[in-house]
């Protein structure tokens, strides 16, 4: 058995990671919290310790909740390594061989880069709290300067206090779109228009789920936020087609409302949003099983009620295991930490179950009404599988039409698309094209995305230089694997 540097490594310092690391460390596990950002907080609480936006009314109380999670982390004794990129999680070679022979491996090795140097960290258990990514929203012209995701725009606001000037349009669907508009208004940003792409049919589908939403924590603050934005910004509903136009720079947004004729709006900035999906690349590359979530229209890692995955020693919590929001992620992180404590022998099953009761109650409250939101804000099929001339893979500049042509030539899924077109083989490793490529192939074949599948990913899941890899210490197993016999 390899000696472990830590009992537990938590990857990601958003609400799930912060809550899990604090609980696990406070109960005696040697715990390290790894995150790429210079400060803890993840995307939802980005720059929570040093944001230049000091007026708390701008970002809202939900954002400042992140500051309340930092104290318990500091007091717990957990080690925090900011500025750390995790690019692999795997069994050490000797333990992988033992597992193949029928003996379960006891530790995991994390490949990471920190301060320009790569190294391997050995731990007994890994909790991935990798959060969410914005769902790709490919429209004609979305690669033009002046067009960016609403999530990226919100990061600029949180980290640098930056907001767009000139003629600003927001387009898409989902709670984040409206939250960003509300935050911009509070920051004094003038917004020209919101182009709402929520299909009218979604309202009919969501209506049976309304009772649950009426009992949810989303109702009061969500309704107030929407009304506030709609009073101050022109909103165009039922947008069914959208494209950005300009020569080397965004100049206008062309849209269609329902079956009407196209109309054009001059714009300097277009912010796009189509909801969020789990950031599953690391879990995928680690070998965790995944499944198609028809309700949220995305792939998600398969977990049990405690966050355990199909890979022994690997757990998941938060939006990386299915979109539930910050409050749900916080509770899920604590639930996963309690199960890890049980798996590592610090508490028994009865203590785990008892301690989890308040967190499960909190999780249920946080998820109440979620089905209504998922149904209401499900992106239109027309935007999930865009027109032929639309670029879907930005890294390799592959269009939706090229993907459809590959299907007609025999390409059956995203992994085959790599061979036909190199989709998903660029630096983003499918983060910006994976969901769209799956949807395009499924629509062209006339089957469910569940049948089409998703990319099979391999480490490293983040870019790493050859110099970093070459400088890694070599074990005897590493040397013997490449020696000639």
């Amino acid at each position: 058995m390899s000696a472990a540097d830590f009992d537990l490594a938590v990857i990601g310092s958003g609400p799930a990671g912060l809550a899990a690391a604090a609980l696990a460390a406070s109960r005696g596990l040697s715990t390290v919290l790894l995150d790429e950002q210079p400060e803890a907080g993840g995307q939802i609480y980005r720059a929570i310790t040093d944001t230049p936006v000091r007026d708390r009314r701008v970002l809202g109380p939900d954002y400042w909740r992140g500051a309340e999670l930092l104290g318990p982390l500091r007091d717990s004794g957990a080690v925090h390594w900011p500025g750390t990129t995790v690019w692999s999680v795997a069994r050490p070679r000797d333990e992988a061989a033992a597992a193949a022979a029928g003996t379960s491996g006891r530790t995991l090795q994390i490949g990471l880069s920190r301060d320009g140097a790569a190294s391997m960290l050995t731990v007994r258990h890994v909790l991935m709290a990798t959060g969410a990514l914005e769902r790709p929203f490919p429209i004609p012209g979305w690669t033009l300067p002046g067009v960016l995701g609403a999530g990226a725009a919100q990061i600029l606001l949180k980290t640098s206090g930056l907001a767009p000037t000139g003629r600003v349009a927001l387009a898409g669907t989902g709670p984040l779109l409206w939250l960003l508009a509300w935050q911009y208004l509070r920051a004094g940003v003038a917004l020209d228009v919101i182009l709402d792409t929520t299909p009218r049919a979604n309202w009919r589908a969501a209506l049976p789920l309304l009772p649950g939403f009426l009992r949810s924590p989303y109702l009061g603050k969500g309704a107030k936020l929407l009304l506030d934005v709609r009073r101050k910004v022109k909103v165009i509903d039922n947008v069914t087609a959208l494209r950005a136009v300009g020569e080397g720079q965004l100049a206008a947004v062309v849209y269609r409302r329902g079956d009407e004729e196209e109309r054009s709006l001059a714009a300097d900035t277009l912010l796009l949003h189509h909801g969020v999906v789990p950031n599953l690349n690391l879990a995928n590359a680690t070998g965790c099983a995944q499944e198609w979530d028809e309700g949220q229209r995305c792939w998600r890692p398969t977990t049990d009620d405690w966050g355990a995955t199909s890979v022994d020693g690997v757990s998941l919590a938060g939006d990386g295991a299915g979109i539930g929001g910050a409050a749900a992620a916080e509770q899920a992180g604590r639930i996963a930490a309690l199960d890890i404590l049980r798996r590592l022998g610090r508490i028994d099953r009865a203590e785990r179950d008892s301690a989890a009761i308040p967190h499960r109650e909190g999780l249920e409250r946080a998820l109440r009404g979620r089905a209504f939101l998922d149904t209401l804000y499900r992106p239109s099929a027309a935007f999930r599988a865009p027109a032929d001339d639309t670029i879907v893979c930005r890294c390799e500049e592959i269009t939706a039409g090229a993907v459809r042509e590959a299907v007609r030539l025999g390409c059956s899924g995203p992994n085959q698309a790599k061979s036909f077109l190199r989709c998903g083989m660029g630096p983003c490793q499918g983060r910006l094209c994976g969901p769209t490529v799956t949807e395009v192939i499924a629509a062209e074949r006339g089957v469910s995305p569940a049948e089409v599948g998703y990319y099979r990913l391999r480490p490293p899941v983040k870019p790493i230089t050859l110099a970093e890899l070459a400088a890694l210490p070599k074990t005897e197993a590493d040397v013997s694997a490449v020696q000639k016999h």
Side-chain angles (χ1 to χ4, degrees), residues 92-305:
R93 190 182 303 276
D94 53 348
E95 293 195 8
T103 304
S104 177
R106 299 296 184 93
T107 61
L108 290 158
Q109 274 192 340
I110 299 174
L112 56 87
S113 294
R114 189 167 178 242
D115 298 327
S119 61
M120 305 300 292
L121 183 72
T122 303
V123 300
R124 297 175 65 196
H125 202 102
V126 170
L127 173 62
M128 298 180 185
T130 48
L133 297 169
E134 277 195 280
R135 184 191 300 272
F137 191 179
I139 63 171
W142 73 314
T143 59
L144 280 172
V147 183
L148 68 159
Q154 191 185 53
I155 287 173
L156 287 172
L157 178 63
K158 292 174 180 177
T159 58
S160 304
L162 294 177
T165 57
R167 299 161 299 186
V168 181
L170 280 71
T173 188
L176 178 60
L177 188 78
W178 297 95
L179 174 60
L180 179 62
W182 181 81
Q183 290 172 334
Y184 273 167
L185 291 172
R186 294 208 158 198
V189 178
L191 302 178
D192 287 65
V193 66
I194 295 176
L195 299 166
D196 187 356
T197 64
T198 306
R200 284 183 173 172
N202 285 12
W203 287 96
R204 294 191 294 273
L207 191 60
L209 303 168
L210 183 59
F213 179 74
L214 294 177
R215 297 183 293 108
S216 78
Y218 300 111
L219 177 62
K221 59 185 178 183
K224 181 179 178 182
L225 184 151
L226 281 171
L227 289 173
D228 194 25
V229 173
R230 284 183 174 273
R231 277 198 304 264
K232 299 173 181 177
V233 183
K234 179 181 179 180
V235 178
I236 299 175
D237 297 308
N238 195 32
V239 172
T240 55
L242 189 67
R243 55 191 174 94
V245 297
E247 293 295 330
Q249 174 70 35
L250 176 70
V253 180
V254 179
Y255 70 94
R256 178 183 293 116
R257 188 172 185 267
D259 296 326
E260 299 173 1
E261 294 293 321
E262 282 190 338
R263 298 184 182 183
S264 179
L265 292 168
D268 300 302
T269 302
L270 172 62
L271 305 179
L272 297 172
H273 183 69
H274 237 195
V276 294
V277 296
N279 182 0
L280 51 70
N281 279 36
L282 183 60
N284 183 320
T286 303
C288 300
Q290 56 193 27
E291 59 193 12
W292 175 252
D293 186 327
E294 181 62 30
Q296 295 190 344
R297 202 71 191 182
C298 64
W299 288 94
R300 62 188 293 178
T302 304
T303 63
D304 67 11
D305 289 343

